[in-house]
Amino acid sequence: MKRNLYSKLLDWKNNKDRKPLILNGARQVGKTYLLRQFGENEYKKIAFFSLDRNSMAKSVFERGGTVENILLSLSAISEVDITPNDTLIVLDEVQDCPKALEALKYFCEEAVSYHVVVAGSLLGLSLHDGISYPVGKVDEIRLYPMTFLEFLEALGKDRLVEALKSGNWGVINLLGEECERLLRQYYYVGGMPAAVLAFVEKKGLQTVREIQKQIVRDYRRDFSKHAPAREVPRINMVWDSIPAQLAKENKKFVYGAVKKSSRASDFELAIQWLIDAGLAYKVKRANSPQMPLKFYEDMNAFKLFMLDVGLMGAMSDTTAEAMLVDNRVFSEYKGAFTELYVFTQLQTLGIPIYYHSVDNSTIEIDFIVQLANRIVPIEVKAETNVKAKSMRVFISKHPELQGIRFSMLPYQKQDWMTNIPLYACLMIDKAM
């Protein structure tokens, strides 16, 4: 399956100032598959090491030594002649071998002609355990679950993807019925590659759901295996609360909704653990719609999103009928699936994402983003009923801004706001 991040890997390979690369991302988002595919397609040879299972490769880094000796040892273990510029060295699950991460500094300084990529599912957690991060000596990119456009490509809908990417809104509006049908499918399947592959291979909706549930079970095992024992129950409680938190009218994270009378101090470590593992994302409130949004973030108010809309459907036992047949996914659940869907798409753009609300007021802007050199308020509507009181009031107070509304309505540009169909939300930059 094609991944958009492949082009960034090519850019890295061809960059004369290339440094060792860290490919970050949660478990089971497709890092290993992508790196194997990249190595096989773009290099003469690939030397692949799973440091969580290959004790000999792990011991090479733990013993230390010169880069030359490390390369000789890795060649012997892999039975691959590791040579400059034509061999991709992949160190998978690098968080299991801190010395391998530290060694990247020396590859950067002494062996620039060797192409080294490391991948880590729980690297963010490991850094809290005293691993020395090679600051300034590595490049870093993050892999997320598959976007809606990647999902369409996996289904063989290449022409539809081209139409969406074109920014020709007249054509895009004509494709609305088919795109809505496929968007419903994406809400159910989500972007975890194993679930997408099962759907593409027509193994059945129940098989897709079982794969999603197995992924969730695997994550829970990670909680027990890698988190401090006293935090495991709290991590489970926060993780389990995310669907219900997003189904509230006001989606601000409430500690008391996790456990009655609880406070921030009870769960802040559990939340940070999920964030470091790449399983949850915190969207903070911006108190003022000004550049840069970082200057105006509220550290105490935030929404908490999980990494994939399909996994949330599995955790909440939302039926295939609700997603694929009737309109409950769009008209009920307080827009929880739709807001999560929009967030997961926007975060792949690498832009700052916040939300905005005013205390003691019903005015709330679902997202407010920093797109190039402008602030863009975003309203998310799950269906075609798009009364936009909050956005209209907000724009009346900030007439220098123009809003975006994602909904199931066709593209329409107005003086104060532009409506973009939900299935085209990744094309936000072409609508402004």
Side-chain angles (χ1 to χ4, degrees):
M1 293 184 291
K2 293 167 59 178
R3 301 301 302 269
N4 292 336
L5 205 70
Y6 195 98
S7 62
K8 290 187 177 181
L9 293 175
L10 279 175
D11 291 342
W12 170 80
K13 177 181 185 290
N14 297 323
N15 184 356
K16 64 181 179 62
D17 297 319
R18 180 192 61 256
K19 302 172 185 176
L21 177 66
I22 293 177
L23 179 62
N24 229 323
R27 284 198 188 279
Q28 303 191 55
V29 296
K31 298 185 300 299
T32 300
Y33 175 86
L34 178 60
L35 290 178
R36 285 192 181 278
Q37 182 187 51
F38 177 61
E40 290 166 2
N41 291 347
E42 308 300 335
Y43 291 83
K44 290 183 179 179
K45 294 168 287 185
I46 178 171
F48 194 100
F49 306 91
S50 295
L51 297 181
D52 60 335
R53 297 193 298 270
N54 192 325
S55 59
M56 291 183 67
K58 187 174 180 179
S59 68
V60 167
F61 291 100
E62 290 176 340
R63 286 198 309 267
T66 66
V67 171
E68 181 180 6
N69 285 338
I70 289 174
L71 289 169
L72 283 172
S73 298
L74 294 179
S75 290
I77 294 168
S78 63
E79 298 184 344
V80 172
D81 287 327
I82 298 175
T83 49
N85 295 315
D86 66 1
T87 307
L88 181 66
I89 305 167
V90 179
L91 307 176
D92 202 12
E93 300 299 349
V94 70
Q95 73 278 351
D96 280 50
C97 183
K99 291 296 183 181
L101 187 65
E102 294 173 5
L104 296 183
K105 172 184 176 182
Y106 305 108
F107 276 93
C108 177
E109 295 173 345
E110 304 171 18
V112 294
S113 59
Y114 289 89
H115 296 213
V116 183
V117 181
V118 304
S121 300
L122 300 172
L123 183 57
L125 300 171
S126 302
L127 295 178
H128 290 290
D129 294 332
I131 291 180
S132 177
Y133 192 85
V135 178
K137 304 296 182 180
V138 293
D139 298 318
E140 185 173 358
I141 55 179
R142 177 175 285 270
L143 184 65
Y144 297 100
M146 297 173 72
T147 65
F148 179 55
L149 294 185
E150 289 175 319
F151 173 74
L152 292 180
E153 288 180 322
L155 290 174
K157 304 290 184 180
D158 292 353
R159 291 186 178 180
L160 185 57
V161 172
E162 289 176 11
L164 290 171
K165 288 182 176 180
S166 73
N168 186 329
W169 296 106
V171 172
I172 292 171
N173 284 346
L174 293 175
L175 300 171
E177 186 174 340
E178 182 182 9
C179 287
E180 180 179 335
R181 176 179 62 82
L182 292 165
L183 182 60
R184 287 173 176 270
Q185 294 175 10
Y186 182 77
Y187 276 27
Y188 183 84
V189 178
M192 302 303 287
V196 174
L197 183 61
F199 186 72
V200 169
E201 294 179 346
K202 302 185 185 305
K203 293 184 177 179
L205 297 177
Q206 295 310 309
T207 298
V208 170
R209 180 48 50 88
E210 181 51 39
I211 288 171
Q212 293 165 337
K213 286 182 174 291
Q214 184 59 53
I215 291 172
V216 173
R217 288 192 289 268
D218 290 343
Y219 287 164
R220 292 192 189 279
R221 290 192 190 95
D222 281 343
F223 302 167
S224 299
K225 181 178 178 180
H226 298 284
R230 65 184 299 271
E231 290 298 324
V232 172
R234 298 176 186 182
I235 293 170
N236 275 296
M237 292 170 70
V238 171
W239 176 246
D240 288 338
S241 81
I242 294 177
Q245 297 265 6
L246 293 178
K248 297 190 285 86
E249 192 71 44
N250 177 353
K251 295 174 176 58
K252 172 186 172 183
F253 188 86
V254 177
Y255 293 99
V258 181
K259 184 179 180 181
K260 188 175 181 180
S261 302
S262 62
R263 296 173 295 178
S265 58
D266 297 321
F267 290 103
E268 57 189 3
L269 291 179
I271 291 172
Q272 191 59 49
W273 196 96
L274 289 168
I275 292 170
D276 289 338
L279 304 183
Y281 296 91
K282 183 183 286 188
V283 174
K284 298 176 183 175
R285 180 168 68 180
N287 289 322
S288 181
Q290 300 182 62
M291 296 266 298
L293 288 171
K294 180 73 174 177
F295 284 4
Y296 302 96
E297 71 179 30
D298 183 341
M299 304 299 291
N300 298 314
F302 62 93
K303 301 177 182 180
L304 197 65
F305 293 91
M306 64 174 51
L307 75 163
D308 179 65
V309 67
L311 293 186
M312 189 167 84
M315 287 176 62
S316 58
D317 291 316
T318 304
T319 65
E321 178 189 5
M323 290 288 195
L324 302 174
V325 181
D326 66 28
N327 287 321
R328 274 179 284 171
V329 68
F330 296 119
S331 62
E332 297 181 9
Y333 314 122
K334 305 296 191 296
F337 286 101
T338 300
E339 192 161 328
L340 175 58
Y341 158 74
V342 169
F343 169 74
T344 58
Q345 306 307 292
L346 292 181
Q347 72 169 345
T348 65
L349 299 177
I351 57 178
I353 304 176
Y354 293 81
Y355 80 99
H356 178 74
S357 65
V358 180
D359 289 333
N360 302 317
S361 170
T362 59
I363 302 301
E364 178 171 315
I365 303 300
D366 297 317
F367 298 110
I368 185 165
V369 303
Q370 197 169 305
L371 193 63
N373 293 318
R374 63 194 304 178
I375 299 298
V376 181
I378 295 173
E379 183 172 63
V380 177
K381 293 294 185 181
E383 49 182 333
T384 56
N385 180 8
V386 292
K387 294 180 181 179
K389 178 182 176 182
S390 289
M391 180 66 83
R392 188 175 288 276
V393 171
F394 179 80
I395 295 296
S396 70
K397 294 181 178 179
H398 303 280
E400 75 281 6
L401 303 180
Q402 184 181 42
I404 288 286
R405 178 178 62 212
F406 294 126
S407 76
M408 291 312 300
L409 289 176
Y411 174 85
Q412 182 183 12
K413 191 174 182 66
Q414 301 172 263
D415 291 340
W416 63 285
M417 181 174 64
T418 299
N419 186 89
I420 300 176
L422 280 164
Y423 47 80
C425 68
L426 275 171
M427 302 302 106
I428 182 173
D429 60 327
K430 295 184 182 295
M432 301 301 294

